[in-house]
Amino acid sequence: MKKLLVFGLVLFVLVASPLVATGDKEAKPQTPASSVSMNPTGFPIVNEPVQFRVFGVRDQNQADWKNVKMLSDYRVRTNVDMIYQEVPTQGFDEKKSLLFASNDLPDLFIRSMLNPVEIAKYGMESGQLIPL
C-alpha cells in the first residue's frame, strides 16, 4: 500500500510538472483558487471545492482525462475539480494561438508544447502566463 501511495505521488508530480498557469486578467465566474484557504498538510488540499479549466493536447491512444481513474480519485480527495479541454494533436497549435489572441485562457496548460518564443511572448511580454 505504501508503494502505491509513493507511486501515485511521483506520478502526480510528473503529470503536474509541465503545467503552466495563465495570468488571465479578466475575472472568472468561479471562485478564484487564491481566495480559498489551503490546508498545509494532508487531504483535502482545500476545504471548499475549486475548479480549474485545463487545456492540453491528448494523444488519440489515451483515455479522456476525465475518465482516468487516478485523476478522478484525486479530484475527490483534494476538492480540486479540473474541467478539461482536450484537443487532438492535429490543429492544436492553431487552437492554442486562438486562445492567446482572444485572451480566453484556461487556468492551466498541460502538455501544450509551449516553445521558448511563446513563453517569452505570452509570459514576459504580455503577462498572459505566470510561472507556478
Side-chain angles (χ1 to χ4, degrees):
M1 184 67 178
K2 191 173 185 179
K3 287 182 181 180
L4 183 61
L5 179 61
V6 171
F7 175 75
L9 290 174
V10 169
L11 188 58
F12 179 76
V13 169
L14 291 175
V15 169
S17 63
L19 298 178
V20 176
T22 56
D24 190 359
K25 299 190 181 16
E26 296 181 23
K28 303 245 186 284
Q30 68 229 16
T31 304
S34 61
S35 68
V36 176
S37 62
M38 294 181 61
N39 296 323
T41 60
F43 291 110
I45 294 173
V46 291
N47 291 326
E48 297 179 34
V50 294
Q51 286 186 338
F52 290 103
R53 291 183 331 157
V54 179
F55 177 84
V57 63
R58 182 178 58 86
D59 187 282
Q60 64 185 1
N61 297 319
Q62 293 177 329
D64 290 346
W65 293 337
K66 66 181 179 183
N67 296 330
V68 174
K69 178 156 177 38
M70 184 190 79
L71 297 176
S72 297
D73 290 347
Y74 273 109
R75 177 177 39 91
V76 171
R77 293 178 72 187
T78 62
N79 269 346
V80 177
D81 188 22
M82 303 289 195
I83 309 300
Y84 298 106
Q85 182 180 2
E86 305 167 45
V87 180
T89 305
Q90 187 175 9
F92 178 76
D93 287 330
E94 181 180 354
K95 182 76 172 174
K96 180 174 59 172
S97 295
L98 289 172
L99 283 176
F100 281 109
S102 68
N103 203 30
D104 183 25
L105 297 172
D107 298 305
L108 301 167
F109 283 98
I110 297 179
R111 299 189 61 207
S112 295
M113 300 173 279
L114 292 169
N115 61 45
V117 173
E118 290 172 324
I119 292 171
K121 179 179 179 181
Y122 301 124
M124 298 172 74
E125 291 177 19
S126 68
Q128 290 176 293
L129 296 175
I130 58 173
L132 289 178

